[in-house]
Amino acid sequence: MLLLGIAVGALAIAAVAAVQAADEARDDAQAATGAGSSQVSQDHSAHDATAGQSLPLQSFAGAVPANAASLAKAHQATDAVLPPVPAGDLVRVQMTLKDMVVEIAPGVKYNTWAFDGHGAPGPVVHVRQGQTVEMTLTNGGAIPHSIDFHAARIAPNVAFKDVAPGDSFTFRFEATDPGVFMYHCGTKPVLAHIANGMYGAIVVDPATPLPKADKEYVLVASEWYLNGDGIAEPASLDMAKARATMPDWTTFNGYANQYVTHPLPADPGDTVRFYVVAAGPTLDTNFHVVGTILDRAWVDQDMTRFERGVQTVAVPAGGGAVFDVKIDQPGLYPFVSNAFAHVDLGQVGLLKVGDPKGSMSH
Ligand SMILES: [Cu+2]
């Protein structure tokens, strides 16, 4: 027993020495490269500025100002309602990319590369199978960007090419495949561009319509990696934390817990349809609605068939799926990524069925 104690003690000393050595190595590396900041460089050629950084990384999870509750109430929640399909064979879509400060949790500000008039995510594009999308991207940002539609069958080097600051670029694709798809900036390093807010959803209705739904909501799941708490001044991307998949906040539609404070409404007996995209950049979303069962699940956005009576469906990063629930009993029904670390970081909302009494403990 005594020998064991000595052995454990020796191991502990070795571990401390290893951590100290790692710290010293990091300090040396930072001194050599000047890479004291973990913020990703705006310069494309220098995106490896965080190389040599070692663990531990600092978390700002849950850090909000004292008046967070009133800020959450005052926050205008992102409209989750699916917009209508425009008429005609050709649907013109215009997006302008813009560097802007966006609130991502109550009192937490972040320097995004996002979408003018929307922030992050970008606008929901809704078309019908067979329509042609004419996409015009205007780059109002400071560095090159691009746009990659997962719904398109098109040569990426042609359509998803980099657009220089100040330029516009237009390309067309036919929406041949129904489903709910991600779109995102595909400029390198893609991890940084998605982590900074350059993503959104496109819904392509099947030519043969899905069963009727009474309410249709679009949820884009994503996570944020912060180099500061974002309270006194906006945070920027911590590329080392993005590489390590150590998010500070996870969200639906860009803002932590926004549909807890501002629930999505439904009437008892409604069929409620969720179009869910996991934008990542890295995390999947394990979609589940507490207090019910997913009546229909179009998994991996395959619109030709649905599964019935499913509890939880994994939506992979870069993927999408469609879910129907029909709830008769009034109440507050949380929708979550059932990977609960992500609920803790803000990827949770409420479906408010009818006018329920009481509150929700989740
Ligand atoms: Cu970009």
Side-chain angles (χ1 to χ4, degrees), residues 16 43 84 111 145 177 182 255 273:
V16 167
D43 177 355
N111 288 308
H145 296 294
D177 297 57
M182 181 183 180
Y255 186 101
R273 183 161 297 152

Side-chain angles (χ1 to χ4, degrees), residues 221 223 278 280 282-286 314-318 337 339 342 347:
E223 73 270 12
T282 300
L283 293 178
D284 305 338
T285 289
N286 300 276
V315 183
S337 172
H342 305 160
Q347 204 166 89

Side-chain angles (χ1 to χ4, degrees), residues 7-340:
V8 168
L11 275 175
I13 290 162
V16 167
V19 168
Q20 283 171 346
D23 280 346
E24 283 162 16
R26 179 188 59 193
D27 292 344
D28 289 345
Q30 287 181 350
T33 62
S37 166
S38 55
Q39 179 179 347
V40 70
S41 173
Q42 300 269 329
D43 177 355
H44 256 219
S45 63
H47 67 258
D48 227 12
T50 58
Q53 188 167 49
S54 63
L55 298 175
L57 300 164
Q58 189 180 358
S59 174
F60 302 102
V64 290
N67 61 339
S70 63
L71 291 172
K73 270 214 156 47
H75 167 70
Q76 173 92 42
T78 308
D79 187 2
V81 175
L82 178 69
V85 174
D89 294 333
L90 181 67
V91 177
R92 289 192 169 88
V93 179
Q94 207 286 325
M95 295 182 200
T96 300
L97 301 172
K98 192 178 170 187
D99 302 341
M100 64 178 114
V101 174
V102 166
E103 199 165 272
I104 60 166
V108 177
K109 293 172 287 299
Y110 185 91
N111 288 308
T112 63
W113 302 337
F115 297 84
D116 195 18
H118 296 270
V124 173
V125 180
H126 188 193
V127 298
R128 189 175 301 107
Q129 187 179 11
Q131 284 180 317
T132 294
V133 177
E134 183 184 276
M135 175 68 212
T136 298
L137 186 70
T138 299
N139 186 354
I143 61 170
H145 296 294
S146 56
I147 195 153
D148 167 342
F149 277 89
H150 288 194
R153 296 177 183 270
I154 195 166
N157 58 311
V158 176
F160 306 158
K161 68 173 191 177
D162 281 0
V163 180
D167 283 359
S168 289
F169 175 65
T170 301
F171 66 96
R172 289 184 177 190
F173 66 92
E174 187 186 345
T176 50
D177 297 57
V180 54
F181 300 87
M182 181 183 180
Y183 67 78
H184 63 92
C185 178
T187 300
K188 290 176 183 169
V190 180
L191 173 60
H193 287 251
I194 296 177
N196 272 335
M198 308 194 101
Y199 49 78
I202 172 171
V203 174
V204 183
D205 285 357
T208 305
L210 298 182
K212 181 182 166 298
D214 300 291
K215 299 280 191 297
E216 294 184 290
Y217 296 122
V218 182
L219 300 174
V220 178
S222 66
E223 73 270 12
W224 298 98
Y225 303 94
L226 276 57
N227 71 345
D229 62 18
I231 296 170
E233 59 184 55
S236 293
L237 174 62
D238 187 322
M239 194 62 165
K241 285 162 71 174
R243 287 183 179 128
T245 320
M246 183 181 155
D248 299 286
W249 297 98
T250 58
T251 71
F252 286 122
N253 293 342
Y255 186 101
N257 302 310
Q258 61 181 328
Y259 304 115
V260 174
T261 325
H262 306 278
L264 300 178
D267 292 319
D270 274 357
T271 292
V272 179
R273 183 161 297 152
F274 292 100
Y275 296 86
V276 179
V277 162
T282 300
L283 293 178
D284 305 338
T285 289
N286 300 276
F287 195 73
H288 172 71
V289 182
V290 180
T292 193
I293 304 226
L294 303 171
D295 292 296
R296 303 187 187 103
W298 289 269
V299 180
D300 292 332
Q301 88 280 323
D302 176 2
M303 295 285 104
T304 62
R305 51 181 284 278
F306 56 81
E307 296 179 9
R308 297 167 198 270
V310 190
Q311 58 182 318
T312 301
V313 173
V315 183
V322 184
F323 306 107
D324 281 1
V325 293
K326 183 177 177 302
I327 299 172
D328 296 325
Q329 194 180 337
L332 294 168
Y333 294 78
F335 52 88
V336 299
S337 172
N338 213 91
F340 261 85

